[in-house]
Amino acid sequence: MSKRLAGKTALVTGATSNIGRAIAEVFAAEGAHVAVSGRSAERGGEVVDGIRARGGRADFVRADLDGTAAASRALAEEAARVLGGRIDVLVNNAGIYPGDTTAATDEKTFDRVYAVNVKAPFFLTAAIAPAMAQAGGGAIINLGSWIAPLGIPIGALYSSTKGAVETLTRAWAAEFGPSGVRVNAISPGVVQAFAPGDEHPAEAMMKGTPAGRTGTPDAIADAAVYLAGDESSFVHGIVLDVDGGRTTTAVIAA
């Protein structure tokens, strides 16, 4: 069986849990050498150990992406080092989600969420994309959210950051695409990591959708493999909705 990412190197931010972990694991299973990045060395070590136990290649790179250009540059440099000098695929996944209403959000929280969700991937892309272009190409995958295009009454701050990331995706596709660097995004729907059969309050948010259920991190990871691989060589600047039809379709029962 051929591996779709064989010979590629990849940096996945926020890779110690949930969607980021699933992406790191499936990238490694598809043959990539993965830099697993996050704040917790303990959790990062667990992800790396699991990948290696299954025959994959992975290394942990600790990073606290606080929005400063220095933190993003440091991660880019260390990830390139552990990956043998180059990064073929960057997944900007790390983010934080405060679910407060607008009136309940203070300025400190506002600045922190924009720092982590927008400034950090901005400066990480600035550090990595030119090197990709110089090396002949690469792929950048950003993580958006279903609540960027579809307004809901809580989480305005978070959704605005994801709207910014999706706009950056299109701008970066125009900026870096001619140099061989493809930039795309995935917009996950309601995704929960829990055992099959378990009930979760988030299930209610998927009622009336074609899927009729929440998604799993693996569904997002599979989409990331497509955007990272050669099969999507003609795909630039898209936001791929992987949301069970949440933002596009309403199923109306008779």
Side-chain angles (χ1 to χ4, degrees), residues 118-142:
V118 182
K119 287 182 67 180
F122 183 95
F123 288 115
L124 190 57
T125 298
I128 292 175
M132 284 181 171
Q134 189 173 14
I140 297 173
I141 303 167
N142 299 319

Side-chain angles (χ1 to χ4, degrees), residues 89-160:
V89 182
L90 166 63
V91 180
N92 284 312
N93 168 73
I96 54 177
Y97 175 77
D100 287 339
T101 62
T102 299
T105 301
D106 59 32
E107 186 175 4
K108 182 178 180 181
T109 299
F110 184 100
D111 290 344
R112 180 167 181 263
V113 175
Y114 262 84
V116 175
N117 291 6
V118 182
K119 287 182 67 180
F122 183 95
F123 288 115
L124 190 57
T125 298
I128 292 175
M132 284 181 171
Q134 189 173 14
I140 297 173
I141 303 167
N142 299 319
L143 270 291
S145 172
W146 67 278
I147 63 172
L150 181 66
I152 62 173
I154 59 172
L157 174 59
Y158 174 80
S159 65
S160 71

